[in-house]
């Protein structure tokens, strides 16, 4: 299994914004753009620009093809939610070692195979629900705006329509990287967690999956070694995993959906 093709992207994703190597890539693009005018940047703009960034990522990362067991499994889990909550969603698996998943403003959700390796179907549903929540709450649009500014293609994007299609290969790469580097606020993360819980409940899924998903993430942050430390840094922008699990527990108990027996045994 490969690392993500864009190694800088993978690193920035794991380590965060303040990364020396990230600068190298940004420098290649030029000065930072002036930013995107908040008032005029629409959902459609965000969808268009996100689609361009995702297209680049799909072309530069090992996407599981339709017959790949990972793709078959994700299709089984995600297939019935393509039109969730009025959204138009699409999904793929990246066969990479990084443990992550992300959603973009155009409704693209990408799940990494290494995350699938450590999570049950119910846990993955909770992650998917969380990502859909980001799209539904327009967090992905905010993230897209920030990514455009950081990737220095904002000037171009602000000055003409359909500009994403006119970006050069390296500009698209920078845009993709900035998208991966986008952090949501804690409030956005908490809201997405709430959305995820409601998503599980609404569809009659086992909400213990949400609890177990957060406990799995918590276990990854524990321990020592380079992998744990990378993961801790990545999770810095999120509320504490155990706290997130506790929130699920409170809701589940209130709803009568808490099942002690379904708590995952984590080694
Ligand atoms: Zn999130």
């Amino acid at each position: 299994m490969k690392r993500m093709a864009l190694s800088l992207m993978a690193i920035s994703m794991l380590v965060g914004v303040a990364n020396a190597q990230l600068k190298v890539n940004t420098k290649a693009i030029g000065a930072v753009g002036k930013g995107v005018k908040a008032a005029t940047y629409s959902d459609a703009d965000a969808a268009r620009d996100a689609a361009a960034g995702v297209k680049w990522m799909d072309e530069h990362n090992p996407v599981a093809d339709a017959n790949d067991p990972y793709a078959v499994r994700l299709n089984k889990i995600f297939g019935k939610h393509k039109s969730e909550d009025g959204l138009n969603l699409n999904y793929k698996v990246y066969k990479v070692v990084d443990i992550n998943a992300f959603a973009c403003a155009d409704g693209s959700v990408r799940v990494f195979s290494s995350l699938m390796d450590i999570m049950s179907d119910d846990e993955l549903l909770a992650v998917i629900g969380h990502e859909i929540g980001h799209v539904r709450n327009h967090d992905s649009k905010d993230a897209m705006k920030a990514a455009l500014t950081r990737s220095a293609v904002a000037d171009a994007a602000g000055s003409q329509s359909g500009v994403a299609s006119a970006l050069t290969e390296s500009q698209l790469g920078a845009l993709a990287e900035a998208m991966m580097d986008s952090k949501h606020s804690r409030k956005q993360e908490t809201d997405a967690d709430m959305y995820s819980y409601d998503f599980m409940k609404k569809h009659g899924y086992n909400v213990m999956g949400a609890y177990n998903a957060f406990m799995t993430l918590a276990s990854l942050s524990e321990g020592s070694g380079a992998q744990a430390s990378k993961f801790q840094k990545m999770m810095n922008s999120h509320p504490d995993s155990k706290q997130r699990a506790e929130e699920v527990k409170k809701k589940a108990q209130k709803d009568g959906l808490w099942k002690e027996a379904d708590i995952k045994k984590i080694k």
Side-chain angles (χ1 to χ4, degrees):
M1 202 181 291
K2 296 186 215 161
R3 278 217 150 256
M4 289 185 85
L6 180 65
S7 60
L8 277 177
M9 183 163 88
I11 292 165
S12 70
M13 201 171 58
L14 290 167
V15 181
V17 181
N19 185 285
Q21 295 191 63
L22 182 63
K23 250 189 248 161
V24 178
N25 208 17
T26 310
K27 220 190 272 174
I29 308 303
V32 171
K34 285 184 194 123
V36 183
K37 286 193 189 72
T40 57
Y41 196 70
S42 67
D43 282 344
D45 292 335
R48 174 201 68 212
D49 295 335
V54 170
K55 183 168 178 280
W56 189 96
M57 283 192 265
D58 287 351
E59 284 166 0
H60 290 82
N61 283 291
V63 175
D65 66 40
N67 299 322
D68 187 289
Y70 284 105
V72 171
R73 182 177 170 215
L74 187 64
N75 198 35
K76 227 176 79 199
I77 299 170
F78 204 145
K80 43 188 164 311
H81 300 296
K82 277 190 275 199
S83 306
E84 185 71 27
D85 212 351
L87 301 168
N88 185 15
L89 304 166
N90 73 85
Y91 51 88
K92 291 185 198 301
V93 179
Y94 287 174
K95 296 181 79 173
V96 292
V97 297
D98 313 277
I99 295 170
N100 211 342
F102 66 89
C104 302
D106 69 327
S108 298
V109 178
R110 299 294 178 264
V111 182
F112 297 5
S113 56
S114 296
L115 181 74
M116 296 180 72
D117 287 338
I118 58 166
M119 288 194 172
S120 69
D121 288 3
D122 283 341
E123 290 170 73
L124 286 172
L125 277 164
V127 171
I128 288 164
H130 176 97
E131 297 303 335
I132 294 174
H134 279 313
V135 180
R136 190 70 192 82
N137 296 338
H138 300 276
D139 304 341
S140 306
K141 178 176 130 184
D142 296 343
M144 193 63 228
K145 249 190 295 190
L148 276 171
T149 303
R150 264 207 316 283
S151 66
V153 297
D155 287 350
S159 60
Q160 36 180 304
S161 62
V163 74
S165 58
L167 296 178
T168 64
E169 173 74 10
S170 69
Q171 282 175 318
L172 279 173
L175 178 61
E177 183 185 346
M179 282 167 68
M180 292 306 301
D181 215 25
S182 287
K183 301 273 186 283
H184 295 122
S185 70
R186 293 257 169 145
K187 163 123 180 41
Q188 287 175 329
E189 294 299 349
T190 302
D191 289 348
D193 284 353
M194 267 160 42
Y195 185 96
S196 169
Y197 179 88
D198 292 340
F199 166 85
M200 300 292 281
K201 194 176 143 186
K202 179 171 85 181
H203 292 288
Y205 294 130
N206 188 353
V207 299
M208 295 304 289
Y211 178 84
N212 288 331
F214 293 136
M215 291 309 281
T216 301
L217 295 179
S219 76
L220 288 173
S221 302
E222 284 163 1
S224 50
Q227 202 60 36
S229 132
K230 266 188 195 173
F231 195 78
Q232 283 154 12
K233 281 177 185 153
M234 183 183 91
M235 296 306 288
N236 267 347
S237 61
H238 293 71
D240 177 68
S241 298
K242 279 189 177 152
Q243 189 54 47
R244 296 168 85 184
E246 275 309 305
E247 290 302 320
V248 173
K249 184 176 179 177
K250 268 191 250 165
K251 282 188 206 294
Q253 284 178 329
K254 197 169 150 244
D255 290 341
L257 297 171
W258 179 254
K259 294 179 205 132
E260 201 79 29
D262 287 353
I263 295 175
K264 183 183 182 182
K265 310 273 178 296
I266 297 171
K267 282 170 261 169

